Amino acid sequence: MKPRLVLVLGDQLTTSVAALKAADPFRDIVVMAEVKSEGTYVRHNKKKILLMLAAMRNFAKVLQQQGWKVQYSRLDDPTNSQSISGELLRYANAFGAEELIATEPGEFRLITILKDMPLKLQMLEDDRFIASHAMFKDWSSGRKTLRMEYFYREMRRKTGLLMDDGQPIGGKWNYDIENRKPAKDDLLREKPLQFEPDDLLTGLAELIDTEFERHPGTTEDFWYATTREQALEVLDHFIRHHLKVFGSYQDAMLDQDPFLHHSLLSAYVNIGLLDPMEVCERIEHAYRVGDVPLNSAEGFIRQIIGWREYMRGIYFYKGPDYVGLNALHATRDLPDFFWTAETDMQCLRRSIHQTLHNAYAHHIQRLMVIGNFAMMAGIDPYQVHEWYLSVYWDAFEWVEAPNVIGMSQFADDGLIASKPYASSGAYINRMSDYCKSCAYTPLKKMGEGACPFNLLYWSFLDRHSEKFEKNPRMAQIYANWKRRAPKDKTTVLEEADRFLNAL
């Protein structure tokens, strides 16, 4: 009986992933491949590549210890074809394999590559997610709007998380109103758990610096987890030191503290080192034994079984054309400072610098600083999408694209968001300390030193008034704009245009 190839991708590092469950360790051959094409279809951040390759090599050892026959292609192997399809064909020829078992990838690009291969393909849905494609399709059927909040309630009922007798604990589904407090500098705040680089990481860092020299970011200061055991330590550390106040301060931003009380678990869940339900069950347990308040437990669980599952559902429900949507007809090119952080807007400078250096920024930096600016400036959403996919350690298209195209850029015409996530400098000033050291004044609405976010906010609303002024959630905003003196409105729009033209 001929062996079959079993593909394990870099974001499928789970011993119970669908392809492995369907395979026979005595017959089949596991293929894992570090290939240039997966690192360069967008210019992935060096730390993201380092995380992926180190985690892949460690996971391959786990599979070998469990008795699997693993064919592992290293990036610097001279026989490496540097593509997933090329490596699969190389091993198929070497072992006489005619069949391929694969867990469905999280990008249509890779799905197409696998389907086009001259091998008999058994592609299995990724059952590490709680909501199957069929479940999301059934939930979506007949709905005029696909709001996450209602999907989230179905997921609470399905999982039983934070539920008692079929009802949400505390009587409410959502405690987000309690999770919007600004934070203060705190030298005693517990720092993220850090791991010392080993020989594997050191060698890989040198390889990545050579092979991906022109990519954003750096391999320096890499202290992330690269094994399941380490990822579990990070989960323990978060629950013990940060979860209690995570909810209250999850939207806060500080110039010199990029992590605050955030978990740094998203990448480990997305590449398979942690299971989403095991994480949520640990969070729920911490609440039920009285270690953390409900608003923190609910806020975190909502990110996993609400937003994460919902985004994946939207991605596969809408199909490969979703990333090309551009409802606001935005055409401006992405400014160079997105790759350098060289801008005198402190909020953008710090958020982008942290992104490039850490391959990480938390959700409000991504949405209300970087994404907010890109949308209001009219930057092409596909270019924005590719930037997000490039720079963040947890970005895979199934989760990144709906967050950017839909939630951040409103390019899907309100499929995800009921109104655009646009805000002036006042929001950033309220939720951060960025404005204290900025060249601009957050409360100044026009004239020399006026915050560009103030100018862009009103310019954006004026530019899209026909689309948004009848939106019930925006009626008062437009009423305020209409009451502005004509001379002031003209000044704001002219100054916004000058700023945009200078980009």
Side-chain angles (χ1 to χ4, degrees):
M1 186 178 294
K2 292 184 177 181
R4 299 170 297 183
L5 301 184
V6 183
L7 177 63
V8 175
L9 295 169
D11 60 346
Q12 298 175 348
L13 308 182
T14 309
T15 56
S16 59
V17 74
L20 291 174
K21 286 191 292 189
D24 180 351
F26 298 103
R27 171 190 176 187
D28 300 325
I29 297 169
V30 174
V31 174
M32 298 181 68
E34 305 169 3
V35 292
K36 201 78 174 282
S37 62
E38 290 305 299
T40 56
Y41 69 93
V42 294
R43 292 193 305 148
H44 289 294
N45 191 304
K46 291 177 184 177
K47 273 195 176 69
K48 179 180 182 181
I49 299 173
L50 181 53
L51 168 71
M52 298 284 291
L53 299 194
M56 286 173 65
R57 291 192 184 187
N58 286 326
F59 186 72
K61 294 177 184 177
V62 171
L63 293 182
Q64 290 169 334
Q65 291 167 359
Q66 292 182 348
W68 291 96
K69 296 184 285 289
V70 180
Q71 291 295 319
Y72 193 97
S73 301
R74 295 195 171 209
L75 190 68
D76 54 353
D77 183 342
T79 62
N80 189 333
S81 66
Q82 300 300 341
S83 71
I84 294 292
S85 57
E87 289 307 277
L88 287 170
L89 289 176
R90 184 160 72 94
Y91 290 123
N93 291 332
F95 296 100
E98 298 175 350
E99 298 180 51
L100 170 64
I101 304 173
T103 306
E104 181 182 66
E107 298 187 6
F108 288 112
R109 174 187 61 85
L110 270 174
I111 292 173
T112 300
I113 287 172
L114 296 184
K115 286 183 175 179
D116 287 346
M117 292 197 61
L119 296 171
K120 183 180 179 181
L121 175 63
Q122 181 183 1
M123 187 179 292
L124 305 167
E125 184 172 347
D126 193 341
D127 59 7
R128 295 175 300 170
F129 291 89
I130 301 162
S132 65
H133 296 326
M135 177 187 171
F136 192 87
K137 185 176 181 180
D138 288 345
W139 174 80
S140 304
S141 179
R143 293 177 181 267
K144 293 182 179 179
T145 58
L146 305 181
R147 295 289 175 253
M148 189 283 294
E149 178 64 27
Y150 300 107
F151 172 77
Y152 168 57
R153 295 178 187 183
E154 289 300 311
M155 296 299 287
R156 289 275 293 276
R157 295 185 183 101
K158 177 180 173 64
T159 62
L161 290 165
L162 297 179
M163 299 286 287
D164 279 339
D165 298 324
Q167 296 299 317
I169 292 176
K172 294 195 298 184
W173 294 99
N174 186 319
Y175 290 86
D176 197 42
I177 193 69
E178 299 179 23
N179 296 343
R180 301 171 185 173
K181 295 180 180 178
K184 296 181 180 179
D185 286 324
D186 183 355
L187 296 177
L188 299 179
R189 186 174 9 250
E190 186 74 21
K191 301 302 180 185
L193 185 62
Q194 301 186 8
F195 300 94
E196 287 293 326
D198 55 16
D199 291 341
L200 168 62
L201 281 167
T202 302
L204 274 173
E206 294 173 357
L207 178 63
I208 290 166
D209 285 338
T210 299
E211 296 294 331
F212 303 98
E213 180 182 6
R214 298 178 63 84
H215 283 227
T218 174
T219 58
E220 296 176 1
D221 301 322
F222 186 95
W223 40 262
Y224 299 141
T226 60
T227 67
R228 172 168 168 77
E229 291 73 23
Q230 288 179 337
L232 286 169
E233 288 185 55
V234 177
L235 174 59
D236 289 340
H237 184 86
F238 169 64
I239 293 173
R240 186 166 61 251
H241 296 289
H242 293 288
L243 179 57
K244 187 174 182 178
V245 293
F246 160 78
S248 298
Y249 300 109
Q250 65 174 301
D251 287 3
M253 298 171 283
L254 289 178
D255 189 287
Q256 296 300 317
D257 191 343
F259 306 112
L260 287 99
H261 296 287
H262 289 272
S263 71
L264 304 188
L265 294 172
S266 56
Y268 308 140
V269 174
N270 287 356
I271 68 175
L273 298 183
L274 296 176
D275 178 79
M277 275 302 294
E278 79 174 327
V279 173
C280 290
E281 287 167 354
R282 287 286 306 281
I283 302 299
E284 181 189 41
H285 176 75
Y287 163 72
R288 290 191 179 272
V289 299
D291 289 343
V292 301
L294 182 56
N295 70 304
S296 284
E298 187 278 321
F300 188 90
I301 287 173
R302 178 162 23 96
Q303 290 188 0
I304 300 287
I305 69 170
W307 281 113
R308 183 176 186 271
E309 294 281 335
Y310 171 76
M311 290 299 172
R312 187 220 184 211
I314 289 288
Y315 179 76
F316 281 99
Y317 182 67
K318 298 306 293 182
D321 293 337
Y322 184 83
V323 297
L325 297 179
N326 190 355
L328 300 183
H329 308 290
T331 58
R332 193 177 305 278
D333 286 334
L334 192 78
D336 289 343
F337 69 73
F338 271 66
W339 300 107
T340 65
E342 295 176 1
T343 171
D344 52 6
M345 289 173 282
Q346 181 70 354
C347 59
L348 279 168
R349 178 166 65 241
R350 293 304 298 160
S351 296
I352 293 174
H353 173 77
Q354 291 169 10
T355 292
L356 298 175
H357 185 79
N358 299 318
Y360 167 86
H362 73 68
H363 65 286
I364 295 298
Q365 292 171 306
R366 299 189 200 194
L367 176 65
M368 298 307 299
V369 178
I370 301 171
N372 181 22
F373 175 86
M375 180 184 65
M376 295 194 304
I379 298 172
D380 177 357
Y382 189 80
Q383 294 185 36
V384 180
H385 147 68
E386 286 205 321
W387 183 83
Y388 276 80
L389 188 59
S390 299
V391 297
Y392 289 115
W393 71 326
D394 54 1
F396 300 91
E397 197 173 80
W398 63 266
V399 66
E400 172 275 326
N403 268 296
V404 173
I405 296 296
M407 188 176 181
S408 170
Q409 300 304 295
F410 206 82
D412 67 0
D413 205 18
L415 176 72
I416 288 177
S418 59
K419 73 177 186 68
Y421 279 90
S423 73
S424 66
Y427 174 85
I428 297 171
N429 188 39
R430 183 171 67 251
M431 296 306 301
S432 78
D433 63 353
Y434 293 140
C435 301
K436 294 178 181 178
S437 54
C438 186
Y440 300 100
T441 304
L443 300 182
K444 194 166 186 180
K445 296 179 171 56
M446 57 184 176
E448 185 177 355
C451 175
F453 276 82
N454 294 336
L455 301 173
L456 295 181
Y457 178 69
W458 293 113
S459 173
F460 172 81
L461 292 176
D462 184 80
R463 191 163 68 246
H464 298 291
S465 59
E466 186 175 338
K467 178 179 284 291
F468 296 129
E469 65 182 350
K470 294 181 181 179
N471 185 314
R473 297 185 64 194
M474 303 179 72
Q476 186 58 50
I477 298 170
Y478 275 100
N480 293 339
W481 177 240
K482 289 178 180 179
R483 284 194 293 268
R484 294 277 292 273
K487 182 180 179 180
D488 286 352
K489 290 199 287 187
T490 299
T491 299
V492 167
L493 297 178
E494 288 178 348
E495 290 182 358
D497 285 343
R498 283 198 294 272
F499 175 84
L500 290 171
N501 291 334
L503 285 179

